[in-house]
Amino acid sequence: MVTWAFSKSSAMKHFLLLLLCISTVKSLSDYDEEEESAHKSQVDARSHRPVDRRREPIPTLRPAPPPITGGGYRARPSQPLSVQQKKLERKAPDAGGCLHADPDMGALCPTGCVLQDTLVKQERTVKANVKDLGTEVDSFSQRTSSNFQYMRILKDMWTKRQKQILDNENAVNGFSSELEKHELYIQETVNTHIPNNLQVLRSILENLRSKIQKLESDVSAQMDYCRNPCTVSCSIPVVSGKECEEIIRKGGDTSEMYLIHPDGFVKPYKVYCDMKTENGGWTVIQNRQDGSVDFGRKWDAYKNGFGNIASNEDIKKYCGLPGEYWLGNDKISQLTKMGPTELLIEMEDWKGDKVKAHYGGFTVQNEGNKYQISVSKYRGTAGNALMDGASQLVGENRTMTIHNGMYFSTYDRDNDGWITSDSSKQCSKEDGGGWWYNRCHSANPNGRYYWGGHYTWDMAKHGTDDGVVWMNWKGSWYSLKKMSMKIRPFFPQQ
Ligand SMILES: [Ca+2]
């Protein structure tokens, strides 16, 4: 048994040696090949020359000589027992608790070792997994920490929100109390003040209604009064004459309405005589004082005269108050042509200031000569508008406002100095009355009557200075309160 075991062991040993040799040779061979391969790839390429098959013949193999036979080594002696026993007593390394029946034949109990190897092999994977788990645990821990921080932030926010809600509630309560105050105030206002104001407004309305009713009744009374032509019953003085100067020389020394009879070719007519101003004897040919008469009239009205000569005072029976009127161009012409005549123009502004313009010579031609005017010998305080034109203007602008020598014009008879093919361009149309217009005026005694004096272009009908104007005293945009023209036969004053 032992011999067999030995022989068997020896045979196995030789087999192993053979395998070792084969393995070594094979290993060497493999190494050489690897070396050669590495050499091929790494050494200079000039050591290898490929064949050019078109020029060189392919090399042929030569036969090898037979191997040597006979003789050789003697048989190898057997190994000592002690060595074999030592080998039997040799224990295999304890690898995972496994027992080996024959240590030279390998392991008989592979389970523990395989398990160990398996475990060792799995250890890397498990380690990697454990590492991954650790990473995940760290990440989770970080996330948990983040969540915790987030929760803390949320908690802080919640606390702040609750404080804000509390503050808002306080503010709302404050506003509510303010609103209650305002509501109370509004209720008081609605219940108390508005009724009081309404009562005041109602009383004002009632007052206005009563005033309107009174005005309506006054208007109605005036309409009834004016339904019939206004008649003045004045006792005309018995004394008469060719004109007022002759009447005063005959004893008529009160200023009132008289009947005059200039010559035998015309009927006697009424006129107002001023027997006080500058020694009296003045025949009033024009008078403005209250705007009661419209002076925007046609040629024939100016030719024959219009307006109210005079009126009586409440108690007195004679007509001592002059009215607004234009005596008439025919009468004026006839009076001035009887002999040398002087002209007195008096005017008064709305403050009561008075000025006058006196012309020592004054003549008006007849209708055939378009009632051409001529004046001379100015003296006075109003400024010589009729002869010199408007003192505010210079050169041609001033001379075209001179009235001396001009024909008489009305809005239906254009004889002015404004020569134009446009028939609408007429001084009388634009300036409101009949007058000796040039282009157009410095004085406009028959213009439109404006209460208060000052007026503006947008108040005027044509945007022109159409008021009762004497430019040399008050300028273009002031309409005088009073304006009168009186004539008297010229005679040397004593
Ligand atoms: Ca003209």
Side-chain angles (χ1 to χ4, degrees):
M1 183 65 180
V2 173
T3 308
W4 177 84
F6 175 76
S7 63
K8 192 175 179 182
S9 171
S10 178
M12 181 65 76
K13 189 176 178 180
H14 283 98
F15 176 71
L16 288 172
L17 284 170
L18 179 64
L19 284 174
L20 183 63
C21 289
I22 292 168
S23 171
T24 304
V25 168
K26 191 172 187 309
S27 315
L28 287 170
S29 173
D30 288 342
Y31 173 79
D32 288 343
E33 282 182 0
E34 287 178 2
E35 278 290 312
E36 189 179 0
S37 174
H39 195 264
K40 281 180 185 173
S41 63
Q42 294 178 3
V43 176
D44 191 351
R46 282 179 295 182
S47 63
H48 172 74
R49 288 151 177 91
V51 174
D52 186 357
R53 295 183 184 276
R54 289 171 301 180
R55 296 178 187 177
E56 299 167 328
I58 298 171
T60 56
L61 292 173
R62 290 180 185 177
I68 298 169
T69 60
Y73 286 94
R74 289 181 293 178
R76 181 177 293 173
S78 60
Q79 291 182 347
L81 185 60
S82 61
V83 175
Q84 190 176 3
Q85 285 176 343
K86 285 180 183 177
K87 286 189 177 177
L88 288 173
E89 291 172 357
R90 182 173 57 88
K91 290 183 181 177
D94 187 7
C98 294
L99 293 177
H100 298 271
D102 188 349
D104 295 327
M105 293 303 288
L108 295 178
C109 178
T111 55
C113 297
V114 171
L115 182 60
Q116 185 186 21
D117 291 341
T118 304
L119 287 173
V120 168
K121 286 178 183 175
Q122 289 180 349
E123 185 184 6
R124 291 180 183 173
T125 311
V126 170
K127 274 185 177 176
N129 289 337
V130 167
K131 191 177 178 181
D132 292 342
L133 275 173
T135 307
E136 287 184 4
V137 165
D138 290 342
S139 174
F140 180 72
S141 175
Q142 288 177 356
R143 285 203 298 271
T144 305
S145 176
S146 301
N147 288 336
F148 179 74
Q149 289 179 356
Y150 182 63
M151 285 293 291
R152 196 168 61 187
I153 291 169
L154 283 177
K155 191 176 177 182
D156 291 343
M157 287 174 66
W158 173 253
T159 307
K160 288 178 182 174
R161 288 287 169 88
Q162 278 199 326
K163 187 177 179 304
Q164 192 174 5
I165 287 168
L166 191 64
D167 293 343
N168 289 342
E169 284 180 353
N170 291 334
V172 166
N173 289 333
F175 282 125
S176 296
S177 63
E178 285 291 322
L179 275 175
E180 286 175 359
K181 288 180 184 174
H182 286 300
E183 185 186 6
L184 193 65
Y185 172 75
I186 288 168
Q187 282 182 350
E188 286 180 356
T189 304
V190 167
N191 295 332
T192 309
H193 296 302
I194 288 179
N196 290 340
N197 291 336
L198 279 175
Q199 204 169 1
V200 171
L201 285 173
R202 280 200 191 101
S203 66
I204 291 171
L205 193 61
E206 288 298 322
N207 191 17
L208 285 173
R209 271 185 190 150
S210 64
K211 284 183 178 175
I212 288 170
Q213 283 177 350
K214 188 174 183 303
L215 280 173
E216 284 177 350
S217 65
D218 289 347
V219 168
S220 178
Q222 286 294 324
M223 286 176 72
D224 288 340
Y225 179 74
C226 295
R227 191 156 290 137
N228 297 320
C230 185
T231 55
V232 177
S233 56
C234 300
S235 55
I236 298 175
V238 177
V239 60
S240 183
K242 291 190 287 183
E243 15 68 15
C244 296
E245 174 62 23
E246 192 177 56
I247 290 173
I248 196 172
R249 295 189 182 201
K250 289 181 177 176
D253 56 357
T254 56
S255 296
E256 60 179 306
M257 184 173 72
Y258 291 89
L259 199 64
I260 61 172
H261 193 197
D263 62 31
F265 297 100
V266 294
K267 291 194 299 184
Y269 55 88
K270 296 171 185 172
V271 75
Y272 187 86
C273 294
D274 179 357
M275 303 304 192
K276 298 296 179 190
T277 304
E278 296 191 12
N279 299 320
W282 297 100
T283 302
V284 176
I285 61 172
Q286 185 264 12
N287 190 42
R288 310 295 298 275
Q289 58 189 8
D290 53 19
S292 59
V293 173
D294 178 17
F295 274 64
R297 302 200 183 211
K298 293 185 178 180
W299 180 265
D300 285 345
Y302 274 95
K303 169 185 166 72
N304 299 316
F306 57 87
N308 304 312
I309 302 296
S311 61
N312 57 345
E313 290 175 282
D314 289 340
I315 304 171
K316 298 175 181 176
K317 291 184 178 179
Y318 63 93
C319 285
L321 299 174
E324 288 203 331
Y325 69 92
W326 181 257
L327 182 63
N329 288 337
D330 282 344
K331 298 184 181 77
I332 296 169
S333 173
Q334 195 269 335
L335 285 171
T336 62
K337 291 179 82 173
M338 289 195 300
T341 306
E342 57 181 335
L343 168 68
L344 177 63
I345 305 175
E346 293 176 297
M347 55 199 88
E348 180 180 333
D349 66 11
W350 290 83
K351 293 189 298 183
D353 293 336
K354 298 175 183 177
V355 292
K356 59 179 71 175
H358 185 274
Y359 290 91
F362 173 58
T363 305
V364 174
Q365 300 299 319
N366 59 19
E367 186 178 18
N369 291 309
K370 305 173 186 174
Y371 305 118
Q372 188 180 23
I373 185 176
S374 58
V375 287
S376 62
K377 294 184 279 186
Y378 166 81
R379 61 180 168 87
T381 52
N384 189 5
L386 301 188
M387 294 173 67
D388 293 344
S391 53
Q392 296 91 337
L393 304 174
V394 295
E396 196 176 60
N397 291 321
R398 184 178 61 78
T399 56
M400 66 173 60
T401 63
I402 293 173
H403 297 284
N404 190 21
M406 300 308 299
Y407 298 129
F408 201 86
S409 290
T410 55
Y411 68 83
D412 62 335
R413 190 78 63 92
D414 177 21
N415 299 314
D416 60 29
W418 192 2
I419 308 303
T420 172
S421 58
D422 187 350
S423 60
S424 67
K425 304 288 187 187
Q426 295 181 24
C427 294
S428 181
K429 278 187 179 177
E430 295 191 354
D431 292 350
W435 189 246
W436 294 278
Y437 287 113
N438 191 340
R439 184 187 174 124
C440 285
H441 74 250
S442 54
N444 195 31
N446 294 338
R448 294 192 176 90
Y449 196 88
Y450 289 89
W451 277 86
H454 293 287
Y455 68 108
T456 54
W457 65 270
D458 54 333
M459 295 163 67
K461 191 174 181 179
H462 296 275
T464 55
D465 53 337
D466 60 356
V468 182
V469 166
W470 194 272
M471 282 181 68
N472 302 47
W473 184 33
K474 291 286 184 179
S476 297
W477 301 103
Y478 189 93
S479 185
L480 298 167
K481 183 181 180 183
K482 290 184 179 178
M483 173 87 76
S484 66
M485 298 172 68
K486 306 164 183 180
I487 57 173
R488 183 172 65 182
F490 178 78
F491 56 92
Q493 296 289 323
Q494 292 181 346

